[in-house]
Amino acid sequence: MTAPSRRTVLTLGLGAALAPSSTPARAASTGPDWDGLATALHGDLLRPGDPRYDSARLPRNLRFTDRARPEAVARCADTADVAECLRFSRRHGLRFAVRSGGHCYGGWSSDAPLVLDLAGLDSVRVTEGRTGPEAEIGPGTPLITVYTALARHGVTVPAGSCPTVGLAGLALGGGHGVTSRAYGLTCDSLLEAEVVPADGRTLRCSPDREPELFWALRGGGNGNFGVVTSLRLRTHPAPDCTFFQYSWDWPDAGRALDEWQRWAFAAPDRLWSNFHVWTRPDGPSVDAGGILLGPADDLHRLTAPLLARTGRTTSEQVVTRPYLDTVLAYAGCRSEQDCLRQGSQAFAAASHFFDEFLPDAALTDLRRFAERPDSVEASVTFTALGGAVNRVPADATAFRHRSSRLLAQLITEWPPDADPAPRLRWVTEARTTLAPYANGHAYQNYRDPTLATWRTAYYGEHLPRLEAVKAAYDPDHAFDFPQGV
């Protein structure tokens, strides 16, 4: 790879959970009854020695491979399996983790004695709702499978570009993606969720049923309150799209980013765009790209002012395709199956939100950072917010970042034989470089295990309300992990 492939990866697997220790002494001495659990499940229970175990234990983020050595992986086939696993964990005082797509940036969705793997809960069913088509989607459904199934009906849900992320992890942390300025965050389209809390009950929550839990799941729900086993979402039209990408020479990088940020934030809602600053040992580069819900002629009219102010581009690409073909291409795939075959990678990331546009000093600092001779292959990706994302009131959901103009993801990947130390150092130093210009917030779907201020950064003024929901639905903190509410 010449550069990291995760441009606007949205993703986060469900977090790890810790069951309370209420096991009788005899159960503790004899250990968990794994054979009994295997018999009770409709799905498979994979343990060390099973030829399927080694692949089943691995998260998508191979950075945490050594930590991911559970005593068992439960491939849950339905909601009943989830409830059985939670009761089993409670009975035996056993830590558990819940994993949808396995993309957890902290590795916590695979780091426990029992992993509840929701990949088998991957159905997509479209029905006619009161205001149009609605989709009932399983939590472990890969995003590209969601896009493919919905495209048959001419609809979509607002979501990201990483094809293998599980829908639940994406939606419950917010879910920003390629149609968010037009349709809002993924969580903004959530109509109802089925949830299994630690006591093994099954709840349906919506604005009218369990409303506080429903509020918390839209932006603060990853691994905090229960296992989401189904999500019902409002769908939106999936028209033909125009993909675009422009590159500039490095000396023009500062001007290009400065002009892009104002242009992209003020663009019509149907235009979504991001800007990449790529670092490499052989020198940095920049490009901007995005997707317009509409034809190429409209795209050219919208980008003409930007291109006139940013100087000569070194390359331009503008392609109009059907919606599904566009998201496939953006993910680097030719088909759904091609996407699902994409290999795993080790990666590390951090994030910043910005309430104001980057000033000249920030552009200068970023250029100096990118020009360092010890740079690794990595990227700083700025995504323009605004549009439907920012029109939702700040207290309507647990996603508190409604006033920001830009979101930056700082991300680097590395092959298995590479030294992670310089990559991890790059993330820390990139975050430090931009911190003076950010608002102190960070995206809860880009969890950063090294972020000391994560409580205020992710949740801020929503934290007390989230803690109240936690006390109501998980009073024993059965669901617990290093950055759990």
Side-chain angles (χ1 to χ4, degrees):
M1 294 178 67
T2 58
S5 60
R6 293 175 178 270
R7 297 190 174 186
T8 54
V9 50
L10 298 171
T11 92
L12 178 66
L14 293 176
L18 176 64
S21 181
S22 58
T23 310
R26 190 169 65 87
S29 63
T30 59
D33 180 13
W34 295 114
D35 290 340
L37 178 61
T39 300
L41 296 179
H42 300 118
D44 295 329
L45 186 71
L46 308 182
R47 303 204 61 212
D50 188 305
R52 299 167 294 175
Y53 170 83
D54 276 339
S55 60
R57 73 177 178 86
L58 292 178
R60 297 291 300 191
N61 188 353
L62 298 183
R63 173 184 172 190
F64 303 107
T65 295
D66 290 342
R67 264 177 28 198
R69 297 191 181 278
E71 294 183 48
V73 177
R75 286 182 165 170
C76 298
D78 50 29
T79 300
D81 280 359
V82 171
E84 184 65 35
C85 286
L86 293 181
R87 288 191 293 265
F88 178 87
S89 296
R90 189 177 188 89
R91 194 159 58 243
H92 293 283
L94 189 69
R95 288 197 312 122
F96 63 89
V98 187
R99 184 174 70 196
S100 55
H103 287 256
C104 179
Y105 278 38
W108 299 310
S109 67
S110 299
D111 182 15
L114 175 61
V115 171
L116 281 65
D117 188 344
L118 306 184
L121 303 180
D122 60 353
S123 61
V124 181
R125 184 170 62 92
V126 178
T127 59
E128 193 63 29
R130 288 175 297 184
T131 60
E134 298 173 357
E136 188 85 17
I137 304 174
T141 312
L143 183 55
I144 196 61
T145 300
V146 173
Y147 282 148
T148 301
L150 296 184
R152 300 187 187 105
H153 301 268
V155 296
T156 191
V157 292
S161 59
C162 181
T164 56
V165 66
L167 185 73
L170 170 68
L172 300 181
H176 184 272
V178 296
T179 57
S180 290
R181 299 186 77 251
Y183 301 143
L185 303 175
T186 312
C187 72
D188 296 334
S189 290
L190 185 63
L191 300 171
E192 189 178 52
E194 182 180 79
V195 184
V196 183
D199 59 12
R201 294 177 297 155
T202 299
L203 305 175
R204 295 291 294 192
C205 62
S206 69
D208 301 319
R209 291 182 291 178
E210 316 289 346
E212 281 299 287
L213 178 59
F214 183 70
W215 174 86
L217 293 177
R218 291 177 295 155
N222 287 298
N224 283 314
F225 312 107
V227 182
V228 172
T229 52
S230 182
L231 306 99
R232 185 164 62 88
L233 293 98
R234 180 187 305 109
T235 67
H236 306 266
D240 289 353
C241 300
T242 301
F243 165 84
F244 64 96
Q245 186 174 47
Y246 304 107
S247 301
W248 292 267
D249 284 327
W250 180 248
D252 296 321
R255 178 170 56 164
L257 176 53
D258 187 35
E259 295 291 346
W260 169 86
Q261 63 181 343
R262 292 171 172 79
W263 168 83
F265 183 76
D269 291 359
R270 60 196 179 104
L271 188 146
W272 171 89
S273 183
N274 56 21
F275 190 103
H276 304 97
V277 179
W278 304 94
T279 69
R280 300 180 181 87
D282 60 353
S285 64
V286 295
D287 63 65
I291 292 173
L292 172 73
L293 302 181
D297 287 348
D298 289 357
L299 186 280
H300 288 307
R301 283 193 295 270
L302 291 169
T303 57
L306 171 69
L307 299 179
R309 294 193 296 266
T310 55
R312 185 179 66 86
T313 58
T314 58
S315 67
E316 297 185 10
Q317 183 181 6
V318 177
V319 182
T320 301
R321 302 183 178 96
Y323 183 85
L324 179 59
D325 291 345
T326 300
V327 295
L328 283 167
Y330 202 80
C333 318
R334 295 185 179 89
S335 67
E336 176 189 357
Q337 291 306 312
D338 186 29
C339 281
L340 295 177
R341 285 192 293 267
Q342 285 189 356
S344 301
Q345 191 84 2
F347 66 90
S351 64
H352 282 303
F353 282 95
F354 301 84
D355 284 349
E356 304 295 334
F357 294 128
L358 299 170
D360 289 345
L363 301 176
T364 299
D365 288 349
L366 182 57
R367 286 193 58 181
R368 287 173 178 166
F369 173 77
E371 290 170 350
R372 289 169 40 166
D374 60 345
S375 285
V376 299
E377 292 188 358
S379 69
V380 179
T381 298
F382 296 96
T383 298
L385 303 176
V389 175
N390 290 32
R391 285 196 292 271
V392 176
D395 61 354
T397 71
F399 186 86
R400 54 85 64 101
H401 314 288
R402 300 289 185 174
S403 63
S404 296
R405 296 181 178 184
L406 300 171
L407 165 64
Q409 180 177 215
L410 329 169
I411 189 164
T412 181
E413 299 178 348
W414 60 90
D417 57 347
D419 179 6
R423 276 82 173 176
L424 299 176
R425 185 167 58 250
W426 181 95
V427 171
T428 299
E429 293 173 352
R431 183 178 61 198
T432 301
T433 298
L434 289 172
Y437 312 103
N439 63 9
H441 301 177
Y443 186 21
Q444 48 267 48
N445 268 359
Y446 300 156
R447 289 195 184 273
D448 179 359
T450 67
L451 183 61
T453 60
W454 62 268
R455 289 181 178 273
T456 55
Y458 299 154
Y459 304 121
E461 66 280 4
H462 291 337
L463 184 60
R465 188 173 174 184
L466 288 168
E467 290 174 334
V469 176
K470 180 76 169 180
Y473 290 91
D474 184 25
D476 297 323
H477 280 251
F479 290 87
D480 191 18
F481 60 104
Q483 290 186 355
V485 172

